[in-house]
Amino acid sequence: MIETPIEIEATPLAKRSVSGVPTTFRLTVSQAVVRYLAGLRTQIDGEIVPLFGGIWAIFGHGNVAGVGEALYHYREKFPTYRGQNEQGMAHAAIAFAKANFRRRMMAVTTSIGPGATNLVTAAALAHVNRLPVLFLPGDIFISGDSGAVLQQVENFGDGNVSANDCFRPVSRYFERIVHPAQLLSALPRAISVLTDAAQCGPVTLALPQDVQAMAYDYPADFFDAPILCPRALPPSQTDLAAAVRAVMGAKSPVIISGGGVLYSEGATAALKNFAELHGVPVCETQAGKSALPWDHPLQLGSVGVTGSPAANDLVSEADLVLAAGTRLQDFTTGSNTLFTKATVISLNVQLFDTLKNRGIPLRADARLGFEALSAALPHWRADAAWTQRAQDEANVWRATVDSIFAGKRLGAGKLPYDGEIIGAVQRSSPDSTEKDIAVCAAGTLPAELHKLWRTSLPGGYHMEYGYSCMGYEIAGGLGVKMARPDREVIVMVGDGSYLMLNNEIATSVMLGKKLIIVLLDNRGYGCINRLQQACGAAPFNNLFENCLSAPDGFPHIDFAANAISLGARGEHVANLSELEEALQRARSSDRTYLISIDTDPNRTTDDGGWWWEVAVPETSPREQVIDAHAAYVAGKEKQRR
């Protein structure tokens, strides 16, 4: 029997004024945290919704008695979800925020010790990708009465350090709560960071075991939180004037659309309007892909190391690059070799990012930045020949993708490669580009999906490539499905990433959040195996066949059986036609469905791409390494400095 949740505010411990209105509530720290978070609201498309979609929790001795007790009483107002691994829970929470374009988020609570440190990788992932998540790990006793406690990491030089101090470098904001009254400032500060477009990222509030259970008379109005609405930063007149002067002199501009365009409300429409009005072609980063429909005439596709030939050809010759909402990481800039001759305008809410690549800073919300630029440039357009060239090259690239999807590069007797499988996935539904959301994170697939996945849906491409974290895929797919239950979520994952973290399949079944998982089995770490050889080294310790093994050799893993053992459905297919048939079964399934298929670890989409800096040894017994080092030195000479 499920008990009725207790209304904590209705307890006799509330102090009331003469009129009977509570003036304070006596709550534990844990109860106050949960009540505060449960009461937060935001507005999305005119609808008032909870800011937090709930909390992920694995209980242990560091949080079960305090936070766990509070969550029980609020379980209907503030849902608690249980995962199978702390890192997986955090990935799901982060993906939920990303799929909601950072307008909603989730919290994660763990015990002390390994439960907490299992979150650190996910914290780094959220930090790199500028995504909001609230971590509430248990911590050691502040009193110290118990001496060294179970799972405590003792620092010989600092008695105030605990394992949770690992979160400091990977949190946008960190605070250890050592007194109940501290919440009165810590919680508002935490929420301000989580909801700020420029500062957005992970927040950690470490909760010592004894402090979690302490009671305090909290002011009643502390819990009267206003509706939180995103603040859009307009450009300053100084920044705008400098950007306008740069654009006025440009004839062959290109827009690089980053994740900030998706996170800014209304910016995808503003991007489209700007591109069409001024004849400027658009290319997209991993985080920014899906900001413009795949078949828009000015859509050049992916840019950079994993870029399309259309995008890289034009951006390498552009005289102006308008980098919108991108942090300009090395995969976007080709390690600073791709657009070395262009003037760069950095349209970004974060000042840190606007100063990269010696760019002209245009610090602003993406939508407001596009609109202000366009209004200040009523008669300016890119050179007509440049716009036409962009449209022609975009059409050529789309035709190339058609041929890849059709399997025209698949010879007799060959295993398919990632590009052909992506085509099969998209062919399996006539409205795939309108409804499917592809989820991925690491390995070979990010390059192939960045180039080839087609979507007309903002958010129809969900890639974690800022931290490139193997193991994100399935847990991340679960978070996406929780955010977008009306969409078909297609998790595409390699066998290497699957083996790192697959147990949230069980959680997806438990919660009734169906995923379609397409597992590409190339029998090892195919991406790094190719990179290893590109750097002149011999194949070693990446593919199973090149690893140290017992006499019986490497394992032959039945991934479908593994998924079935976790409560899902699954099957292995032998070829592309069987894959398409299996995808129909998966789409009609009522629960998570895994399809595995063997793939070629060596073939990739050679079209496009760009140089990427990977340091190669100056000296080696292998002649191939010496040759690769010479190529590396030649590449570095092209870097923008």
Side-chain angles (χ1 to χ4, degrees), residues 477-508:
L478 174 56
V480 174
K481 188 66 175 182
M482 294 173 77
R484 304 295 180 195
D486 56 328
R487 303 295 181 185
E488 198 77 85
V489 176
I490 314 287
V491 175
M492 301 195 68
V493 60
D495 56 300
S497 276
Y498 181 90
L499 289 172
M500 285 197 176
L501 189 59
N502 58 58
N503 44 23
E504 302 309 336
I505 287 177
T507 312
S508 76

Side-chain angles (χ1 to χ4, degrees), residues 495 498-499 519 521 523 544 554-562 572 596 598:
D495 56 300
Y498 181 90
L499 289 172
L519 188 147
D521 184 3
R523 298 153 303 286
F544 284 152
F554 62 86
H556 296 273
I557 301 166
D558 188 337
F559 292 103
N562 178 256
H572 180 80
S596 63
D598 292 337

Side-chain angles (χ1 to χ4, degrees), residues 339-376:
F339 41 92
T340 56
K341 299 176 182 177
T343 298
V344 177
I345 298 174
S346 291
L347 168 57
N348 206 296
V349 291
Q350 175 52 255
L351 181 62
F352 182 86
D353 292 320
T354 67
L355 300 176
K356 293 175 180 175
N357 286 72
R358 299 204 306 270
I360 296 171
L362 182 58
R363 189 181 181 197
D365 168 80
R367 176 182 65 83
L368 296 181
F370 279 127
E371 289 176 350
L373 267 179
S374 194

Side-chain angles (χ1 to χ4, degrees), residues 108-344:
V108 182
T109 181
T110 70
S111 65
I112 69 172
T117 53
N118 276 350
L119 296 179
V120 174
T121 294
L125 183 153
H127 191 281
V128 169
N129 288 286
R130 322 286 173 85
L131 294 171
V133 59
L134 176 60
F135 294 122
L136 300 170
D139 210 330
I140 58 177
F141 288 91
I142 288 299
S143 68
D145 292 344
S146 298
V149 299
L150 178 64
Q151 297 184 337
Q152 180 174 348
V153 177
E154 293 184 280
N155 186 297
F156 297 159
D158 189 340
N160 293 317
V161 168
S162 80
N164 284 337
D165 287 274
C166 294
F167 286 93
R168 291 183 183 273
V170 289
S171 296
R172 293 287 179 202
Y173 184 76
F174 176 95
E175 190 167 351
R176 179 175 283 110
I177 307 302
V178 299
H179 188 278
Q182 197 176 337
L183 289 182
L184 296 173
S185 58
L187 281 171
R189 280 199 293 257
I191 299 304
S192 72
V193 172
L194 291 167
T195 57
D196 184 84
Q199 301 302 319
C200 188
V203 169
T204 302
L205 298 181
L207 301 176
Q209 294 183 67
D210 48 353
V211 177
Q212 286 183 42
M214 291 178 182
Y216 183 79
D217 292 326
Y218 288 97
D221 60 5
F222 176 62
F223 302 100
D224 296 334
I227 295 171
L228 298 166
C229 297
R231 297 187 182 98
L233 178 71
S236 72
Q237 290 303 309
T238 302
D239 280 3
L240 182 60
V244 167
R245 285 195 296 271
V247 175
M248 287 291 290
K251 295 183 178 181
S252 50
V254 172
I255 296 169
I256 297 179
S257 176
V261 176
L262 289 168
Y263 303 148
S264 165
E265 193 168 4
T268 55
L271 165 69
K272 179 175 178 288
N273 291 339
F274 186 94
E276 291 175 350
L277 183 61
H278 303 288
V280 183
V282 177
C283 53
E284 298 173 320
T285 69
Q286 289 278 13
K289 186 176 172 72
S290 76
L292 192 68
W294 71 274
D295 55 353
H296 190 281
L298 291 169
Q299 171 64 274
L300 298 172
S302 57
V303 67
V305 177
T306 56
S308 75
N312 285 347
D313 283 353
L314 269 80
V315 80
S316 65
E317 297 178 30
D319 60 7
L320 180 116
V321 168
L322 175 54
T326 169
R327 63 192 183 92
L328 293 173
Q329 63 138 319
D330 61 349
F331 258 64
T332 300
T333 67
S335 298
N336 285 333
T337 64
L338 181 52
F339 41 92
T340 56
K341 299 176 182 177
T343 298
V344 177

Side-chain angles (χ1 to χ4, degrees), residues 394-411:
N395 285 332
V396 170
W397 172 238
R398 282 188 279 271
T400 300
V401 176
D402 287 341
S403 70
I404 294 170
F405 282 4
K408 292 182 179 179
R409 302 184 181 190
L410 178 60

